[in-house]
Amino acid sequence: MIVDFKRPSFHIKYLSSLTSNKWIRLALSNPIDMLIDHAHCERKAAGVAIQLMFRYPSEPDLAEVLSPIAREELEHFEKILYFLKDLGHSLKALHPPPYGAELSKSIRKDEPNRMLDSFLIAGLIEARSHERLSLLALNSEKESFKLLYNSLLESEARHFGIYWKLAQSKYSKNDTFKRLEELSKIESKIISKTFSMPRVHS
Ligand SMILES: [Fe+2]
Ligand SMILES: [Fe+2]
């Protein structure tokens, strides 16, 4: 059966590819696993922001931007945690898709390249999360799920913008765009590889 899923009307220009129908189908058929994985993603996103604050403690104007992101991601984490609890579920360990680890391999080891790549990859993950949460908000069957996803997706778009601005404030426009284009292609390649379990970034 061919199903036409609803797609967001906007296009996230930083992503080189669109999410497949196969992912949407897998995600919609496994709403609880998706929620649990999503909670882990929020926890990890907070961790990324905190990790960058620790790695660059004296970088000007960095903590002011990253600390609110970490706080907001933890609020998202708690929101999903309680949503799960209300449904009679709780957090459990899930085998993660290779997405994050594979993307991290593209972070160059030498500074200042390492910091630029870290900002851009964190931003691309936010952009992909935004795309996928939009798909879940549009296509989830239950109204409570739609509301939950709708309440979270706007922040992910904003987070992408914050990492993008950070990169642009510290590196030349040319370097930033060129590297984003390279990393975006890598991101699309990684996300196109099949990971058969329902995950936000499978
Ligand atoms: Fe979030
Ligand atoms: Fe985020």
Side-chain angles (χ1 to χ4, degrees):
M1 184 175 65
I2 297 168
V3 183
D4 246 355
F5 293 111
K6 287 181 193 154
R7 298 261 175 187
S9 52
F10 54 85
H11 172 63
I12 303 168
K13 63 181 178 202
Y14 305 100
L15 295 177
S16 304
S17 65
L18 289 177
T19 283
S20 65
N21 281 347
K22 195 176 164 192
W23 179 87
I24 305 175
R25 211 169 291 125
L26 184 68
L28 294 176
S29 329
N30 297 277
I32 300 300
D33 271 4
M34 285 301 295
L35 277 176
I36 295 173
D37 185 57
H38 186 176
H40 287 303
C41 289
E42 300 288 3
R43 179 179 60 73
K44 286 183 217 167
V48 167
I50 291 170
Q51 195 187 33
L52 287 169
M53 284 165 67
F54 272 80
R55 199 195 295 159
Y56 306 108
S58 46
E59 183 67 29
D61 305 319
L62 191 65
E64 291 87 335
V65 169
L66 293 178
S67 179
I69 294 189
R71 211 172 339 117
E72 197 172 16
E73 301 293 21
L74 283 179
E75 278 168 16
H76 294 172
F77 171 71
E78 289 165 38
K79 197 170 189 176
I80 300 168
L81 204 60
Y82 290 112
F83 188 88
L84 270 167
K85 258 192 168 173
D86 285 346
L87 296 172
H89 294 271
S90 55
L91 212 58
K92 62 173 182 184
L94 287 182
H95 187 60
Y99 181 75
E102 284 290 316
L103 266 175
S104 300
K105 287 184 193 162
S106 299
I107 297 177
R108 291 168 291 180
K109 304 271 183 293
D110 57 310
E111 294 293 2
N113 292 327
R114 188 182 182 205
M115 188 164 76
L116 174 63
D117 290 356
S118 302
F119 291 159
L120 294 177
I121 284 184
L124 281 169
I125 297 174
E126 296 285 349
R128 183 61 73 185
S129 304
H130 178 238
E131 186 218 14
R132 294 201 157 177
L133 295 191
S134 308
L135 289 167
L136 292 175
L138 285 168
N139 295 289
S140 285
E141 225 172 87
K142 288 197 177 130
E143 199 51 36
S144 59
F145 280 67
K146 279 179 182 291
L147 285 171
L148 174 77
Y149 289 124
N150 264 318
S151 73
L152 296 170
L153 62 92
E154 174 272 331
S155 318
E156 311 311 346
R158 184 161 35 77
H159 293 165
F160 169 79
I162 291 172
Y163 280 114
W164 177 235
K165 258 197 214 152
L166 260 181
Q168 282 185 311
S169 69
K170 294 176 187 289
Y171 298 84
S172 79
K173 203 171 180 180
N174 199 28
D175 284 353
T176 321
F177 270 103
K178 200 172 145 260
R179 190 60 183 149
L180 179 67
E181 209 175 301
E182 288 166 4
L183 290 172
S184 170
K185 283 190 185 129
I186 293 171
E187 191 273 344
S188 282
K189 205 170 164 195
I190 294 170
I191 205 99
S192 69
K193 283 187 203 148
T194 321
F195 181 78
S196 54
M197 286 179 246
R199 302 288 186 268
V200 177
H201 298 113
S202 61

